Amino acid sequence: MSDKKVLLLGAGFVTLPTVQVLSDSDIKVTVGESNGDLLSQNPDASDIACRTIENATKLCEGIKNAHPISLDVTDSKSLDTEVEKVDLVVSLIPYEFHATVIKAAIRAKKNVVTTSYVSPAMLELEKDAKEAGITVMNEIGLDPGIDHLYAVKTINEVHKAGGKITSFVSMCGGLPAPEASDNPLGYKFSWSPKGVLLALRNSAKYYKDGKVEEVPAPKLMGTAKPYFIYPGFAFVGYPNRDSTPYRERYNIPEAHTIIRGTLRFQGFPEFVRVLVDLGFLSQERRDFLEKPISWKEATQKVLNATSDSESELVLAVNSKTQFANNEEKARIMTGLRWIGLFSDEKIRPRGSPLDTLCATLEPKMQYGPGERDLVMLQHKFEIEHKNGRKETRTSTLCDYGDPSGYSSMAKLVGVPCAVAVRLVLDGTISETGILAPMNPKINDPLMAELKKYGIEMKEETLA
């Protein structure tokens, strides 16, 4: 593929494996890092706007077929110029910019790959993408991505044999390995810190025993329950966003339970619920968070406490949330002190409680030298076979990062993305329009290639 060229937008947590795999396939990769101008046009786009070409330059170091550029994706002329130069665009910037990138690709009649969910704004471009004759391959990372491949595989196998899927539960978590889960949240960032916190603000909707259940965002953490996969892990699980479309997406109208959820270690939901109750996951702009005041002053203002003394702040916390018992209260208060909410430490002002908290948590919750991450993904299928026999089947992926190489999250998002790019470039994936891995024609070649990298889910019958 030495004649192929790719423009990769983004230089974040998971892009290195994508660039490396493509380079090893003799594909020339231009890594486009958005410049600071983007921040002034979209104040909430700090995830990409605060980064400069330095990240892209660092990403490309030592990779033979990669070179960096600075590119403002909101400058349509500049974007069009770069898209024209390549055969395919990989968009690994925040999802709200994918539609802009796809429009540029449509104008230039170039293919696109993203790892993100297909958004309504992207789906609106289906007709234009088809008319331009381009493939826009989406949802091909870990979750979404690998999860789709093995869900569709089992569902199709069961249906072909005349059986039914009566229940489908899928849980996924990107976590520190147990020995590295050494902070009050039991969590470290392997992808966008803001993305992690924003996900905690989502409401949830799913099918349970034939009925639609809905959970408003403030109550989401209260739904978390212990979730058993292997005895050695103390997981809890809670529903993630809206699972109801998967009855149609996965073609399982017979299923009475459909839940897609998130895994965390025990203790996480209770801690986050307190942060929600206190208002620290709010994106409302607050004037006092525009300057570097102390954290105790910021906490006083967020909580409307009478003073910034620790005793008054603790009283304010107690008035806004509840604890299951004194042990939990002590653990969570220790965690709030660990963050620094009652301290003289200066905030990193970002305008809103969520962004300001994110700026403080990011350096505190990074992986240290020699630490590794963990990805756990499991589908659980309840199956009723043609002859009436019932079966519980699982598909499980348990993967650890390599402290001297890729994190598990980077590998399991970046490698599937790169494999999809190769399959689009060589014509194996040639369907036009806005796509996701929902059928064997697309999925089977992806699974076959991923196995070459040791990426596959282990299938097992439990009962």
Side-chain angles (χ1 to χ4, degrees):
M1 290 192 178
S2 58
D3 60 330
K4 299 296 184 183
K5 298 178 181 178
V6 167
L7 172 64
L8 188 149
L9 299 173
F13 283 89
V14 301
T15 47
L16 181 58
T18 305
V19 176
Q20 189 69 66
V21 170
L22 295 178
S23 173
D24 290 346
S25 303
D26 289 327
I27 297 168
K28 294 178 177 61
V29 185
T30 299
V31 179
E33 187 63 44
S34 296
N35 63 28
D37 291 340
L38 193 53
L39 185 58
S40 62
Q41 298 174 42
N42 186 343
D44 293 325
S46 57
D47 253 8
I48 54 174
C50 67
R51 299 171 186 163
T52 68
I53 194 173
E54 293 174 10
N55 282 3
T57 301
K58 184 177 179 181
L59 181 69
C60 295
E61 285 176 0
I63 301 180
K64 60 182 178 179
N65 290 315
H67 75 276
I69 62 170
S70 178
L71 176 63
D72 182 352
V73 297
T74 65
D75 179 346
S76 59
K77 184 176 180 182
S78 298
L79 181 60
D80 285 350
T81 297
E82 295 302 327
V83 171
E84 285 282 358
K85 297 176 183 177
V86 300
D87 301 288
L88 183 147
V89 183
V90 181
S91 185
L92 295 178
I93 53 180
Y95 75 91
E96 59 262 37
F97 297 100
H98 291 330
T100 299
V101 173
I102 294 169
K103 288 175 184 176
I106 288 169
R107 290 192 291 270
K109 293 183 167 55
K110 308 289 182 166
N111 298 317
V112 180
V113 172
T114 85
T115 58
S116 299
Y117 288 106
V118 174
S119 68
M122 295 159 70
L123 203 55
E124 286 178 4
L125 301 173
E126 165 83 359
K127 181 173 178 289
D128 292 340
K130 283 183 174 291
E131 288 178 354
I134 68 168
T135 298
V136 183
M137 185 67 212
N138 308 283
E139 304 190 24
I140 188 57
L142 166 64
D143 175 4
I146 296 170
D147 60 342
H148 291 334
L149 300 179
Y150 283 86
V152 171
K153 174 181 182 292
T154 295
I155 290 166
N156 282 354
E157 288 172 354
V158 170
H159 283 171
K160 281 184 178 178
K164 299 177 181 179
I165 304 291
T166 59
S167 174
F168 172 77
V169 177
S170 176
M171 290 286 175
C172 184
L175 296 155
E179 73 275 8
S181 60
D182 55 356
N183 64 51
L185 283 154
Y187 189 83
K188 291 182 179 176
F189 296 121
S190 58
W191 61 292
S192 161
K194 185 174 180 180
V196 172
L197 295 181
L198 282 174
L200 301 173
R201 292 168 41 89
N202 293 325
S203 57
K205 188 177 179 181
Y206 52 91
Y207 289 108
K208 176 68 173 175
D209 298 328
K211 298 179 180 178
V212 174
E213 302 279 351
E214 296 190 59
V215 182
K219 296 187 179 298
L220 181 64
M221 291 299 105
T223 67
K225 294 181 174 61
Y227 195 84
F228 182 86
I229 294 181
Y230 296 136
F233 292 101
F235 290 130
V236 293
Y238 53 88
N240 181 25
R241 304 192 192 190
D242 187 358
S243 299
T244 59
Y246 287 86
R247 182 176 268 181
E248 180 178 349
R249 292 194 89 192
Y250 285 167
N251 188 29
I252 45 175
E254 70 274 22
H256 54 72
T257 294
I258 301 174
I259 303 172
R260 299 174 81 248
T262 298
L263 292 172
R264 292 290 181 259
F265 288 132
Q266 64 181 7
F268 179 92
E270 294 86 353
F271 197 106
V272 170
R273 181 184 55 77
V274 169
L275 292 176
V276 171
D277 290 347
L278 300 183
F280 281 106
L281 295 193
S282 168
Q283 286 189 286
E284 181 184 351
R285 308 299 288 185
R286 307 290 292 270
D287 290 343
F288 61 85
L289 296 176
E290 300 285 356
K291 54 192 181 211
I293 61 176
S294 69
W295 254 119
K296 66 182 182 182
E297 184 180 350
T299 300
Q300 177 195 355
K301 292 179 182 293
V302 170
L303 300 183
N304 292 316
T306 55
S307 82
D308 64 6
S309 70
E310 180 166 330
S311 60
E312 287 296 328
L313 296 178
V314 169
L315 283 173
V317 169
N318 287 331
S319 73
K320 290 184 176 292
T321 191
Q322 294 181 320
F323 303 98
N325 50 53
N326 287 333
E327 181 182 355
E328 179 182 291
K329 178 180 176 179
R331 179 179 66 81
I332 292 176
M333 284 298 185
T334 299
L336 298 180
R337 292 185 182 95
W338 173 82
I339 293 173
L341 298 188
F342 308 147
S343 74
D344 292 318
E345 178 188 345
K346 298 295 185 184
I347 67 170
R348 300 181 182 197
R350 296 292 187 270
S352 74
L354 183 143
D355 289 308
T356 302
L357 178 65
C358 179
T360 291
L361 289 180
E362 183 169 4
K364 287 179 178 286
M365 296 174 65
Q366 295 297 315
Y367 285 87
E371 292 185 340
R372 58 184 185 160
D373 68 329
L374 159 74
V375 165
M376 182 69 76
L377 166 63
Q378 187 183 75
H379 300 325
K380 184 178 288 184
F381 307 88
E382 298 294 340
I383 300 167
E384 185 177 316
H385 290 282
K386 187 177 181 180
N387 63 2
R389 181 175 65 88
K390 294 183 178 180
E391 176 190 356
T392 300
R393 189 183 305 178
T394 58
S395 298
T396 307
L397 173 63
C398 179
D399 186 79
Y400 287 93
D402 178 356
S404 60
Y406 300 140
S407 70
S408 178
M409 182 63 72
K411 177 179 74 176
L412 296 176
V413 175
V415 173
C417 177
V419 166
V421 169
R422 287 198 322 221
L423 295 181
V424 172
L425 287 174
D426 71 13
T428 301
I429 298 176
S430 59
E431 185 179 341
T432 60
I434 310 296
L435 309 180
M438 293 291 162
N439 66 70
K441 184 178 179 183
I442 291 174
N443 294 11
D444 289 352
L446 286 165
M447 287 189 288
E449 286 298 307
L450 288 173
K451 285 180 182 178
K452 298 176 182 178
Y453 293 90
I455 298 174
E456 61 180 313
M457 295 183 74
K458 175 185 175 184
E459 298 173 305
E460 185 178 6
T461 294
L462 300 184

